[in-house]
Amino acid sequence: MIRNKKQLIGNGKTERTKNARELVLHSLEVALKAVDPKTIVKNKLTLTGSLLEVDKYSFDIDKFTHLYVVGGGKAAGPMSEGLEEILGTNIDEGTVNIPHGSSHKTKIIKLYEASHPLPDQASMEGTKRILNIAEKAQKDDLVICLITGGGSSLMSLPRDGVSLKEKQELTSALLKSGATINEINSVRKHLSSFKGGWLAKKACPATVLNIILSDVVGDPLDTIASGPTVPDQTTFTQAKRVLEKYELWSKSPSSIQKILEDGERGLIQETPKPKDSAFEKVHNVVVGNNRTATLAAYQSLKSYGLNTVLLTATMEGQAKCVGGILASIANEIEVSGNPLRKPAAVVIGGETTVRVVGKGLGGRNQELVLAASLHLKNNLDCAVVVASIGTDGVDGPTDAAGALVDCKTYSRATELGLIPESFLAENDSYNFFSKLGDLIFTGKTGTNVNDISIIVAL
Amino acid sequence: MIRNKKQLIGNGKTERTKNARELVLHSLEVALKAVDPKTIVKNKLTLTGSLLEVDKYSFDIDKFTHLYVVGGGKAAGPMSEGLEEILGTNIDEGTVNIPHGSSHKTKIIKLYEASHPLPDQASMEGTKRILNIAEKAQKDDLVICLITGGGSSLMSLPRDGVSLKEKQELTSALLKSGATINEINSVRKHLSSFKGGWLAKKACPATVLNIILSDVVGDPLDTIASGPTVPDQTTFTQAKRVLEKYELWSKSPSSIQKILEDGERGLIQETPKPKDSAFEKVHNVVVGNNRTATLAAYQSLKSYGLNTVLLTATMEGQAKCVGGILASIANEIEVSGNPLRKPAAVVIGGETTVRVVGKGLGGRNQELVLAASLHLKNNLDCAVVVASIGTDGVDGPTDAAGALVDCKTYSRATELGLIPESFLAENDSYNFFSKLGDLIFTGKTGTNVNDISIIVAL
């Protein structure tokens, strides 16, 4: 699955470094397999007789009159396939929105192709179908909702009176304004018929089981796919204040102003709040997240006899900074045997950011390890590797998932006349690593649980 | 020694959080004691009969004709006291430069008070005395050199022809130019009669033992006090190029231009290089560094039954970024029991930086934990504390050594009407923590091995 191994043969590295690189690549491969959306659904949900079990919940599906499936997101296609393999003809009806051009096959659940990362008319059509199902579900029905990253766009339906275009333009302006993601979401949820708990509210009084594959660091349920089944903590007034704060209120179309003002006056309904009884029968289960992937890598490295820790599954911050820190941990293993004695591995999950100032080509994972290479101690005996990939297989606007460095990368680059500091300053990590043959290619994986970084020191 | 405990009583925290705060403060106190300069010298050097031992080296002092002591730095006073307690009248003569206003007492070693952080005439006088001793030392003599942070300023002697003022002004200009510390040092060393290996060169053919207390992350020997006993890898040509690169060459005084040009033409001697035989009898021993302090904290926390790791002793990067990462590790302990199960502690050493954009008052350690407080999960049951201090007891231009936060700090602050994000944006961590009573005060400790950060989760 992962391509890079070819370059390892005969590139003058010591046997130990070669082994370290292979161990890193192998454990990344194991991690990616663990978050395959279809596999996750099939592993986490079990049907024994009529008993459907997932996490701490169990449902006797024979006791429900209807079993509906709804949802959407980039990985919702394979999740639907997995769900059909488990539940088969127990499913009465379903509509799940997936990206255009997907090639998934389901028998009962209708897969509805829509647009990502910006919603289109098809997103709205599919979302209406989903809400139709939710609204017809009754007290004795079970609605299973599949939610994954990309769901915000694939399941989009503005409130009556606002056009898709108006909502999109405002969202774009907010994204550029410096508003925080929570501020942006408070506006989006108040302009939506679906996000911010509306799906759950409309499915009430049915029982709702949400199967969530999280693409947001730390799994904030109200953020993943904009939380269609999760109470909204914000108000119309707050949403309006956000627009005022970023000087977008007077520029907003009158349709949007009207909704927020009507909402403020209590003329239209607020988004569903935590105390709403609609959530009493709603069960949210995160079946897969970054920790699923990083724990799989951890187990794999441990099985090879390495002293291994999972440091965190919620690492955030500037890629450059995080890269330096990973190098300092790698160096500490070499110098003092802390936090682990060699052979050692440290697994880190999360998602970093890059402040682009240069004109180069790269991604956050490639930038992270390039920064690490500047700090890795290059003593004679070292066999340290640091790698980082995006689990979706796409790191920035490149065809690589990430890259890997070892303690000789810096000297190898300078021998080739490459100045690592300059490539970093230009945010040009892709061209740096393509010259060294140290990019990692996975292809698009069809899943996304953020990024995985691994340190191995042998 | 550490003040903060008072505020702990009756501030509404749970018993566990109180315990976590006390454990953190206690282990910081243990760490500081471990890097007391006098204690370190007395612990690391032993005299048994006539056998002086330190690290992997041993010297029969009876076999030397003379035993001289030289050196300088902010902690060189107490180190001199410690050395006299060990060697007593075995010392024939000594001159050690210490900061103005120190109150250390030695019998044989002359403590010469000079200026820091900018050198003065006294620095030059004292440095001349040190070089006099080095130059009179012969083949059968032992020169013990005490080197600590601040030594660059306290032991300063420009090359003949350059005035102290000229060298200082150029250094200031370089510091503002964006030049790296290595670039600046290449210039400084080529304009010095002392730095960049010259002390060792002048002490040749005597045996030289350098006792180093490191104040630079990662202990690069050529950087600590500008490496007076360590070969210089750079050349006159490189030093000149640095000035050209930052457009300072034409602005430099003719005296400095002359030295660098004469040096380039081989008319005056290069700084001593690695192959110089002068270094054959030079032994550099780092007796104390950040790892000494962080390992002491680690041992202390472990002795209380906490699952503890030393993550790294060379953490660098933006304080804000590092704070976020420490919070993500603390959260991971709470959520998944990785990298350690509770009760757990993580010890981190190094030195972060702050990019000052606001108008507030603060220091890197205070900013680090303020950033951490924004990211710490505040679940009902949490008892997580993150603290960070500068081991010199001075964090930025404040009277505090650092500060500590717990998982309730954020909510406690907002209840008081303080907006943590705003204080962080204004680099105003000191005023934030003084309002909360969560500053840590140690007073000036007289030592400096960078910073210590500790996470405790009970």
mmCIF file of all heavy atoms in Angstrom, chain B residues 170-203:
data_model
loop_
_atom_site.group_PDB
_atom_site.id
_atom_site.type_symbol
_atom_site.label_atom_id
_atom_site.label_comp_id
_atom_site.label_asym_id
_atom_site.label_seq_id
_atom_site.Cartn_x
_atom_site.Cartn_y
_atom_site.Cartn_z
ATOM 1 N N LEU B 170 28.864 46.361 17.326
ATOM 2 C CA LEU B 170 28.693 45.424 16.214
ATOM 3 C C LEU B 170 27.832 44.230 16.642
ATOM 4 O O LEU B 170 26.941 43.787 15.915
ATOM 5 C CB LEU B 170 30.058 44.943 15.699
ATOM 6 C CG LEU B 170 29.980 44.043 14.465
ATOM 7 C CD1 LEU B 170 29.423 44.810 13.274
ATOM 8 C CD2 LEU B 170 31.351 43.469 14.125
ATOM 9 N N THR B 171 28.088 43.738 17.859
ATOM 10 C CA THR B 171 27.291 42.616 18.363
ATOM 11 C C THR B 171 25.816 43.005 18.448
ATOM 12 O O THR B 171 24.939 42.230 18.033
ATOM 13 C CB THR B 171 27.807 42.171 19.745
ATOM 14 O OG1 THR B 171 29.210 41.900 19.644
ATOM 15 C CG2 THR B 171 27.089 40.930 20.224
ATOM 16 N N SER B 172 25.556 44.208 18.968
ATOM 17 C CA SER B 172 24.155 44.670 19.052
ATOM 18 C C SER B 172 23.521 44.719 17.671
ATOM 19 O O SER B 172 22.383 44.282 17.474
ATOM 20 C CB SER B 172 24.082 46.062 19.669
ATOM 21 O OG SER B 172 24.651 46.045 20.947
ATOM 22 N N ALA B 173 24.269 45.257 16.704
ATOM 23 C CA ALA B 173 23.739 45.350 15.342
ATOM 24 C C ALA B 173 23.459 43.957 14.780
ATOM 25 O O ALA B 173 22.442 43.719 14.127
ATOM 26 C CB ALA B 173 24.714 46.095 14.451
ATOM 27 N N LEU B 174 24.370 43.015 15.057
ATOM 28 C CA LEU B 174 24.176 41.639 14.581
ATOM 29 C C LEU B 174 22.943 41.014 15.214
ATOM 30 O O LEU B 174 22.176 40.317 14.550
ATOM 31 C CB LEU B 174 25.408 40.792 14.903
ATOM 32 C CG LEU B 174 26.554 40.868 13.900
ATOM 33 C CD1 LEU B 174 27.807 40.234 14.482
ATOM 34 C CD2 LEU B 174 26.180 40.160 12.595
ATOM 35 N N LEU B 175 22.760 41.268 16.508
ATOM 36 C CA LEU B 175 21.608 40.687 17.207
ATOM 37 C C LEU B 175 20.303 41.170 16.587
ATOM 38 O O LEU B 175 19.322 40.430 16.524
ATOM 39 C CB LEU B 175 21.645 41.047 18.696
ATOM 40 C CG LEU B 175 22.656 40.250 19.536
ATOM 41 C CD1 LEU B 175 22.829 40.869 20.919
ATOM 42 C CD2 LEU B 175 22.235 38.783 19.671
ATOM 43 N N LYS B 176 20.303 42.417 16.102
ATOM 44 C CA LYS B 176 19.085 42.955 15.493
ATOM 45 C C LYS B 176 18.934 42.566 14.022
ATOM 46 O O LYS B 176 17.881 42.762 13.420
ATOM 47 C CB LYS B 176 19.084 44.488 15.598
ATOM 48 C CG LYS B 176 18.831 44.997 17.000
ATOM 49 C CD LYS B 176 18.942 46.530 17.041
ATOM 50 C CE LYS B 176 19.189 47.032 18.450
ATOM 51 N NZ LYS B 176 19.878 48.335 18.449
ATOM 52 N N SER B 177 20.014 42.052 13.418
ATOM 53 C CA SER B 177 20.047 41.875 11.956
ATOM 54 C C SER B 177 19.287 40.645 11.483
ATOM 55 O O SER B 177 18.998 40.501 10.306
ATOM 56 C CB SER B 177 21.492 41.737 11.497
ATOM 57 O OG SER B 177 22.011 40.474 11.933
ATOM 58 N N GLY B 178 18.994 39.722 12.420
ATOM 59 C CA GLY B 178 18.404 38.465 11.999
ATOM 60 C C GLY B 178 19.442 37.367 11.793
ATOM 61 O O GLY B 178 19.112 36.254 11.401
ATOM 62 N N ALA B 179 20.705 37.681 12.081
ATOM 63 C CA ALA B 179 21.754 36.656 11.972
ATOM 64 C C ALA B 179 21.507 35.560 12.998
ATOM 65 O O ALA B 179 20.967 35.818 14.079
ATOM 66 C CB ALA B 179 23.114 37.297 12.204
ATOM 67 N N THR B 180 21.892 34.320 12.658
ATOM 68 C CA THR B 180 21.732 33.225 13.605
ATOM 69 C C THR B 180 22.795 33.353 14.692
ATOM 70 O O THR B 180 23.790 34.055 14.525
ATOM 71 C CB THR B 180 21.901 31.858 12.916
ATOM 72 O OG1 THR B 180 23.275 31.739 12.501
ATOM 73 C CG2 THR B 180 20.999 31.731 11.703
ATOM 74 N N ILE B 181 22.573 32.612 15.803
ATOM 75 C CA ILE B 181 23.529 32.705 16.906
ATOM 76 C C ILE B 181 24.896 32.185 16.452
ATOM 77 O O ILE B 181 25.939 32.719 16.849
ATOM 78 C CB ILE B 181 23.011 31.970 18.176
ATOM 79 C CG1 ILE B 181 23.928 32.228 19.381
ATOM 80 C CG2 ILE B 181 22.844 30.491 17.940
ATOM 81 C CD1 ILE B 181 23.941 33.643 19.868
ATOM 82 N N ASN B 182 24.911 31.188 15.574
ATOM 83 C CA ASN B 182 26.194 30.678 15.087
ATOM 84 C C ASN B 182 26.911 31.711 14.232
ATOM 85 O O ASN B 182 28.136 31.833 14.270
ATOM 86 C CB ASN B 182 26.000 29.384 14.295
ATOM 87 C CG ASN B 182 25.645 28.231 15.220
ATOM 88 O OD1 ASN B 182 26.011 28.238 16.402
ATOM 89 N ND2 ASN B 182 24.917 27.258 14.694
ATOM 90 N N GLU B 183 26.158 32.456 13.440
ATOM 91 C CA GLU B 183 26.759 33.512 12.627
ATOM 92 C C GLU B 183 27.342 34.616 13.517
ATOM 93 O O GLU B 183 28.468 35.073 13.313
ATOM 94 C CB GLU B 183 25.712 34.086 11.658
ATOM 95 C CG GLU B 183 25.376 33.135 10.504
ATOM 96 C CD GLU B 183 24.228 33.629 9.616
ATOM 97 O OE1 GLU B 183 23.329 34.340 10.119
ATOM 98 O OE2 GLU B 183 24.222 33.289 8.419
ATOM 99 N N ILE B 184 26.555 35.008 14.520
ATOM 100 C CA ILE B 184 27.023 36.054 15.436
ATOM 101 C C ILE B 184 28.294 35.594 16.152
ATOM 102 O O ILE B 184 29.271 36.331 16.257
ATOM 103 C CB ILE B 184 25.922 36.401 16.462
ATOM 104 C CG1 ILE B 184 24.714 37.000 15.742
ATOM 105 C CG2 ILE B 184 26.449 37.358 17.526
ATOM 106 C CD1 ILE B 184 23.493 37.208 16.622
ATOM 107 N N ASN B 185 28.264 34.319 16.598
ATOM 108 C CA ASN B 185 29.435 33.814 17.313
ATOM 109 C C ASN B 185 30.677 33.758 16.436
ATOM 110 O O ASN B 185 31.781 33.982 16.904
ATOM 111 C CB ASN B 185 29.135 32.436 17.911
ATOM 112 C CG ASN B 185 28.320 32.555 19.189
ATOM 113 O OD1 ASN B 185 28.247 33.633 19.784
ATOM 114 N ND2 ASN B 185 27.719 31.459 19.613
ATOM 115 N N SER B 186 30.503 33.448 15.158
ATOM 116 C CA SER B 186 31.684 33.383 14.287
ATOM 117 C C SER B 186 32.367 34.748 14.218
ATOM 118 O O SER B 186 33.593 34.837 14.177
ATOM 119 C CB SER B 186 31.305 32.881 12.885
ATOM 120 O OG SER B 186 30.693 33.911 12.138
ATOM 121 N N VAL B 187 31.566 35.817 14.235
ATOM 122 C CA VAL B 187 32.149 37.167 14.242
ATOM 123 C C VAL B 187 32.792 37.456 15.599
ATOM 124 O O VAL B 187 33.953 37.881 15.686
ATOM 125 C CB VAL B 187 31.071 38.226 13.923
ATOM 126 C CG1 VAL B 187 31.655 39.636 14.032
ATOM 127 C CG2 VAL B 187 30.485 37.997 12.529
ATOM 128 N N ARG B 188 32.035 37.212 16.667
ATOM 129 C CA ARG B 188 32.537 37.529 18.007
ATOM 130 C C ARG B 188 33.842 36.803 18.314
ATOM 131 O O ARG B 188 34.766 37.379 18.886
ATOM 132 C CB ARG B 188 31.485 37.141 19.051
ATOM 133 C CG ARG B 188 30.199 37.941 18.904
ATOM 134 C CD ARG B 188 29.431 38.097 20.169
ATOM 135 N NE ARG B 188 29.055 36.835 20.789
ATOM 136 C CZ ARG B 188 28.135 36.773 21.753
ATOM 137 N NH1 ARG B 188 27.543 37.885 22.182
ATOM 138 N NH2 ARG B 188 27.817 35.627 22.312
ATOM 139 N N LYS B 189 33.875 35.524 17.934
ATOM 140 C CA LYS B 189 35.085 34.746 18.244
ATOM 141 C C LYS B 189 36.296 35.286 17.496
ATOM 142 O O LYS B 189 37.419 35.234 18.004
ATOM 143 C CB LYS B 189 34.852 33.272 17.908
ATOM 144 C CG LYS B 189 33.897 32.592 18.874
ATOM 145 C CD LYS B 189 33.630 31.149 18.492
ATOM 146 C CE LYS B 189 32.713 30.489 19.528
ATOM 147 N NZ LYS B 189 32.429 29.088 19.165
ATOM 148 N N HIS B 190 36.076 35.798 16.269
ATOM 149 C CA HIS B 190 37.215 36.308 15.489
ATOM 150 C C HIS B 190 37.641 37.700 15.909
ATOM 151 O O HIS B 190 38.649 38.214 15.426
ATOM 152 C CB HIS B 190 36.911 36.235 13.983
ATOM 153 C CG HIS B 190 37.062 34.840 13.458
ATOM 154 N ND1 HIS B 190 36.022 33.956 13.403
ATOM 155 C CD2 HIS B 190 38.164 34.169 13.032
ATOM 156 C CE1 HIS B 190 36.458 32.801 12.945
ATOM 157 N NE2 HIS B 190 37.752 32.890 12.707
ATOM 158 N N LEU B 191 36.861 38.302 16.813
ATOM 159 C CA LEU B 191 37.243 39.624 17.317
ATOM 160 C C LEU B 191 37.678 39.538 18.779
ATOM 161 O O LEU B 191 37.831 40.550 19.448
ATOM 162 C CB LEU B 191 36.068 40.598 17.180
ATOM 163 C CG LEU B 191 35.589 40.875 15.752
ATOM 164 C CD1 LEU B 191 34.373 41.781 15.765
ATOM 165 C CD2 LEU B 191 36.717 41.495 14.921
ATOM 166 N N SER B 192 37.858 38.308 19.279
ATOM 167 C CA SER B 192 38.152 38.121 20.693
ATOM 168 C C SER B 192 39.549 37.538 20.907
ATOM 169 O O SER B 192 40.065 36.796 20.067
ATOM 170 C CB SER B 192 37.111 37.181 21.303
ATOM 171 O OG SER B 192 37.449 36.857 22.633
ATOM 172 N N SER B 193 40.133 37.874 22.057
ATOM 173 C CA SER B 193 41.417 37.276 22.457
ATOM 174 C C SER B 193 41.188 36.116 23.404
ATOM 175 O O SER B 193 42.137 35.527 23.914
ATOM 176 C CB SER B 193 42.264 38.319 23.200
ATOM 177 O OG SER B 193 42.521 39.417 22.377
ATOM 178 N N PHE B 194 39.912 35.801 23.690
ATOM 179 C CA PHE B 194 39.600 34.861 24.755
ATOM 180 C C PHE B 194 38.653 33.750 24.291
ATOM 181 O O PHE B 194 38.883 32.568 24.559
ATOM 182 C CB PHE B 194 38.959 35.641 25.914
ATOM 183 C CG PHE B 194 38.770 34.835 27.155
ATOM 184 C CD1 PHE B 194 39.813 34.644 28.045
ATOM 185 C CD2 PHE B 194 37.544 34.247 27.448
ATOM 186 C CE1 PHE B 194 39.645 33.876 29.200
ATOM 187 C CE2 PHE B 194 37.369 33.482 28.592
ATOM 188 C CZ PHE B 194 38.424 33.307 29.466
ATOM 189 N N LYS B 195 37.609 34.172 23.576
ATOM 190 C CA LYS B 195 36.573 33.232 23.132
ATOM 191 C C LYS B 195 37.091 32.326 22.018
ATOM 192 O O LYS B 195 38.189 32.541 21.485
ATOM 193 C CB LYS B 195 35.361 34.019 22.610
ATOM 194 C CG LYS B 195 34.686 34.915 23.635
ATOM 195 C CD LYS B 195 33.627 35.798 22.977
ATOM 196 C CE LYS B 195 32.724 36.520 23.960
ATOM 197 N NZ LYS B 195 33.387 37.247 25.035
ATOM 198 N N GLY B 196 36.268 31.340 21.647
ATOM 199 C CA GLY B 196 36.581 30.521 20.470
ATOM 200 C C GLY B 196 37.869 29.726 20.598
ATOM 201 O O GLY B 196 38.596 29.551 19.621
ATOM 202 N N GLY B 197 38.164 29.255 21.814
ATOM 203 C CA GLY B 197 39.314 28.370 21.994
ATOM 204 C C GLY B 197 40.590 29.061 22.443
ATOM 205 O O GLY B 197 41.577 28.384 22.790
ATOM 206 N N TRP B 198 40.589 30.385 22.468
ATOM 207 C CA TRP B 198 41.833 31.096 22.777
ATOM 208 C C TRP B 198 42.327 30.834 24.193
ATOM 209 O O TRP B 198 43.538 30.755 24.426
ATOM 210 C CB TRP B 198 41.687 32.603 22.543
ATOM 211 C CG TRP B 198 41.836 32.980 21.100
ATOM 212 C CD1 TRP B 198 40.901 33.561 20.306
ATOM 213 C CD2 TRP B 198 43.004 32.799 20.285
ATOM 214 N NE1 TRP B 198 41.398 33.750 19.037
ATOM 215 C CE2 TRP B 198 42.693 33.281 18.998
ATOM 216 C CE3 TRP B 198 44.266 32.253 20.504
ATOM 217 C CZ2 TRP B 198 43.590 33.244 17.928
ATOM 218 C CZ3 TRP B 198 45.170 32.214 19.448
ATOM 219 C CH2 TRP B 198 44.833 32.711 18.171
ATOM 220 N N LEU B 199 41.425 30.701 25.165
ATOM 221 C CA LEU B 199 41.871 30.439 26.533
ATOM 222 C C LEU B 199 42.662 29.128 26.574
ATOM 223 O O LEU B 199 43.752 29.063 27.152
ATOM 224 C CB LEU B 199 40.674 30.385 27.495
ATOM 225 C CG LEU B 199 41.014 29.931 28.926
ATOM 226 C CD1 LEU B 199 42.006 30.873 29.597
ATOM 227 C CD2 LEU B 199 39.751 29.803 29.787
ATOM 228 N N ALA B 200 42.108 28.073 25.938
ATOM 229 C CA ALA B 200 42.792 26.778 25.925
ATOM 230 C C ALA B 200 44.141 26.895 25.214
ATOM 231 O O ALA B 200 45.159 26.354 25.663
ATOM 232 C CB ALA B 200 41.912 25.732 25.244
ATOM 233 N N LYS B 201 44.131 27.607 24.081
ATOM 234 C CA LYS B 201 45.357 27.765 23.298
ATOM 235 C C LYS B 201 46.447 28.428 24.141
ATOM 236 O O LYS B 201 47.614 28.024 24.115
ATOM 237 C CB LYS B 201 45.036 28.637 22.071
ATOM 238 C CG LYS B 201 46.226 28.932 21.166
ATOM 239 C CD LYS B 201 46.495 27.811 20.203
ATOM 240 C CE LYS B 201 47.697 28.123 19.317
ATOM 241 N NZ LYS B 201 48.083 26.973 18.496
ATOM 242 N N LYS B 202 46.023 29.445 24.922
ATOM 243 C CA LYS B 202 47.006 30.191 25.712
ATOM 244 C C LYS B 202 47.450 29.413 26.949
ATOM 245 O O LYS B 202 48.523 29.647 27.487
ATOM 246 C CB LYS B 202 46.439 31.568 26.073
ATOM 247 C CG LYS B 202 46.412 32.466 24.829
ATOM 248 C CD LYS B 202 45.681 33.778 25.004
ATOM 249 C CE LYS B 202 45.684 34.517 23.654
ATOM 250 N NZ LYS B 202 44.914 35.776 23.685
ATOM 251 N N ALA B 203 46.606 28.489 27.428
ATOM 252 C CA ALA B 203 46.991 27.676 28.585
ATOM 253 C C ALA B 203 47.906 26.521 28.186
ATOM 254 O O ALA B 203 48.559 25.914 29.035
ATOM 255 C CB ALA B 203 45.740 27.128 29.273
#
